[in-house]
Amino acid sequence: MTIERTWYPTDKCFINGDWVDPANAATLPIENPSTGETIGSIARGSEEDIHQAVLAARGAYEGEWGHTSAVERGRLLTAIGNMVLEHADDLAFLEACDVGKPLSQARADVKALARYMEFYAGAADKMHGETIPFMDGYTVYTLREPHGVTGHIVPWNYPMQILGRNIGAALAMGNACVLKPAEDASLTALAIAEIAKEVDVPSGVINVVPGLGNEAGAALTSHPDINHISFTGSVPTGEMVQAAASKNVVPVVLELGGKSPQLVFDDVDLDKALPFLVGPGIQNAGQTCSAASRILIQKGVYGTVCEAMAERYSNLKVGPAIEDHDVGPLISAKQKRIVDGMMNQAPHAPIAEGNIVESAPSSGHYVSPKLFADMPPDHLLSQNEIFGPVQCLIPFEDEEEAIAIANGTQFGLVSSIWTENGARQMRLARKLRSGQVFVNNYGAGGGVELPFGGMGKSGHGREKGFEALYGMSTLKTVAVKHD
Ligand code: TXE
């Protein structure tokens, strides 16, 4: 079956610059979450395919790629980014069909992918070591070197953006990559492999092996010739990935989602805040690691904020990705079951919900967004990542209580503070336990320049920005004794 608007084989692995059949000739179906229909198939990569991909990456790293200058690596990333933009319409369409993202979100993801390439292309030749003042008779300096072969496990919620931040930083520093996209959403990762071929990225530098997590994914994270692992996904899988990394004693970056709070104080400028309170909660149907899933509201404005958010919710439209509504379907029947199951445990009815449009097929995985007020902070809906279009509203009295609630989950990825009081902004930004804190905004539009990562069970290590380049490289100290 040929999938509309693909210009590359979808049911193969991309290894050593070529499209190859998976070793066991097995495939997995591709489902369109908006309709529930099977629209094609991807390769079900195995341990053997991963092994071949790692060998190819090692060959590239030890060969020509290992001698490619930083400026040339940057130029290749520029070429990838430009080609991504040339294919922008097709990539957005494919992502909408594969993930169920409303088209405008899919288009934004394409732009973000190109922006990652642009950012890391420019950064590639600006990373350097230092000289260190030391004893007389010595010259000491540091060299920033690639790890070697890096493994990347990408989830299904933002395939292009997460691939972009991974591959961009890894290649800028001179690593060779093996990427395992999610079994639920591999189409655009395969497209990027073809784009790499089109712009003559040397063979073996980027390898893509689709497949199941417990097969291809586990084979990649436990492969003894991988020098660094980046993983974005769930906490339980992250724990397994970290265990595999520890067995081979290799560094690992884990981004494991969150339960991110926004703190709304009585002096909030509500007109400015409102779009940010709702948007980041329902974007991508709530399947966002940094989803603003808890809104903590000071008692003086609690009623007003609840009412204003409820009004927005009652106007939300949910429907097929291609029709570009506010919210699309969830990725799969499994994800819908999980989200519905959690919402059924809410202590009371939501104060507002969105509307599923009539054109949405009943076979699609649609969930109407729900807004729950007066949520106890320790309730399971207030504590756990739901990964659906659901927000919990929690009242608080004062700063102290707000911080206790905000920091009172196992996660710590993103948070925001809404207040005009400058001293409070500074005070709380220090006290909040999260990898990013936003003041009077949420997410800053994605910001590829802004280091991103978690505290607690949200994970460790930083992606995005310059910080990712430090993570994607290792430091060598050279001490020369010359008297
Ligand atoms: O995650 P998994 P799932 C959270 C979110 C969601 C839940 C379950 O709460 O409801 O996780 O989603 C690969 N070794 N997030 O089941 O299993 C898998 O193939 C190596 C938050 O999809 O963690 C896929 O490529 N890899 C998150 C990736 O891991 C393995 C984004 C994620 O799958 C593996 C996604 C193994 N043993 C889900 N098992 C975020 N932080 O944004 C699976 N994988």
Side-chain angles (χ1 to χ4, degrees), residues 151-481:
H152 306 264
I153 305 276
V154 172
W156 42 264
N157 54 341
Y158 287 86
M160 283 189 282
Q161 292 212 33
I162 295 173
L163 176 147
R165 74 190 191 205
N166 270 265
I167 298 288
L171 298 192
M173 294 314 294
N175 301 284
C177 303
V178 179
L179 188 126
K180 209 290 288 171
E183 49 271 48
D184 287 319
S186 293
L187 277 183
T188 49
L190 295 166
I192 305 311
E194 178 66 18
I195 284 174
K197 202 170 152 79
E198 286 167 15
V199 302
D200 294 327
V201 172
S203 299
V205 172
I206 298 178
N207 304 274
V208 179
V209 180
L212 296 173
N214 59 2
E215 295 177 0
L220 178 58
T221 54
S222 60
H223 196 289
D225 204 26
I226 289 284
N227 304 118
H228 182 282
I229 301 169
S230 304
F231 172 80
T232 306
S234 64
V235 175
T237 307
E239 288 169 4
M240 283 195 271
V241 170
Q242 179 151 323
S246 80
K247 200 140 196 231
N248 288 323
V249 196
V250 293
V252 58
V253 171
L254 299 178
E255 198 272 84
L256 308 178
K259 193 70 188 172
S260 298
Q262 301 208 49
L263 281 56
V264 183
F265 285 87
D266 283 349
D267 62 345
V268 60
D269 181 336
L270 190 53
D271 289 338
K272 280 192 199 149
L274 198 52
F276 291 93
L277 298 181
V278 176
I282 50 107
Q283 178 180 312
N284 209 35
Q287 302 165 120
T288 304
C289 44
S290 55
S293 50
R294 294 185 297 155
I295 310 293
L296 283 42
I297 309 163
Q298 199 165 18
K299 288 198 171 145
V301 283
Y302 185 71
T304 317
V305 175
C306 289
E307 218 172 283
M309 288 184 71
E311 194 191 334
R312 290 217 163 207
Y313 260 70
S314 52
N315 290 321
L316 289 175
K317 295 218 171 354
V318 185
I322 286 305
E323 293 177 13
D324 205 13
H325 297 285
D326 303 307
V327 178
L330 298 187
I331 185 75
S332 61
K334 176 184 141 202
Q335 194 64 21
K336 178 170 157 54
R337 253 194 325 274
I338 295 173
V339 171
D340 283 342
M342 286 186 84
M343 288 204 280
N344 287 340
Q345 298 188 59
H348 44 246
I351 56 166
E353 47 179 303
N355 314 282
I356 299 176
V357 299
E358 279 183 10
S359 57
S362 57
S363 48
H365 312 306
Y366 299 97
V367 168
S368 162
K370 292 183 182 54
L371 187 64
F372 290 98
D374 301 337
M375 286 298 294
D378 55 355
H379 189 275
L380 71 96
L381 263 69
S382 311
Q383 286 288 320
N384 297 297
E385 184 173 60
I386 300 175
F387 236 52
V390 187
Q391 286 179 291
C392 296
L393 308 182
I394 305 173
F396 69 84
E397 200 79 53
D398 52 22
E399 269 184 42
E400 202 183 332
E401 192 186 8
I403 284 290
I405 298 172
N407 290 346
T409 73
Q410 59 181 344
F411 296 106
L413 193 57
V414 171
S415 56
S416 88
I417 310 159
W418 292 92
T419 178
E420 298 296 309
N421 179 330
R424 176 184 283 154
Q425 294 170 358
M426 301 292 169
R427 212 166 31 242
L428 295 196
R430 284 180 183 273
K431 288 186 178 170
L432 281 165
R433 193 186 67 143
S434 63
Q436 288 188 328
V437 178
F438 296 97
V439 177
N440 289 339
N441 77 95
Y442 192 88
V448 309
E449 306 87 343
L450 311 181
F452 177 69
M455 298 183 182
K457 289 262 169 106
S458 289
H460 52 74
R462 293 292 176 265
E463 298 179 277
K464 302 171 68 165
F466 255 73
E467 202 59 33
L469 298 171
Y470 297 113
M472 278 297 165
S473 57
T474 184
L475 200 70
K476 179 184 281 173
T477 305
V478 182
V480 183
K481 188 163 183 341

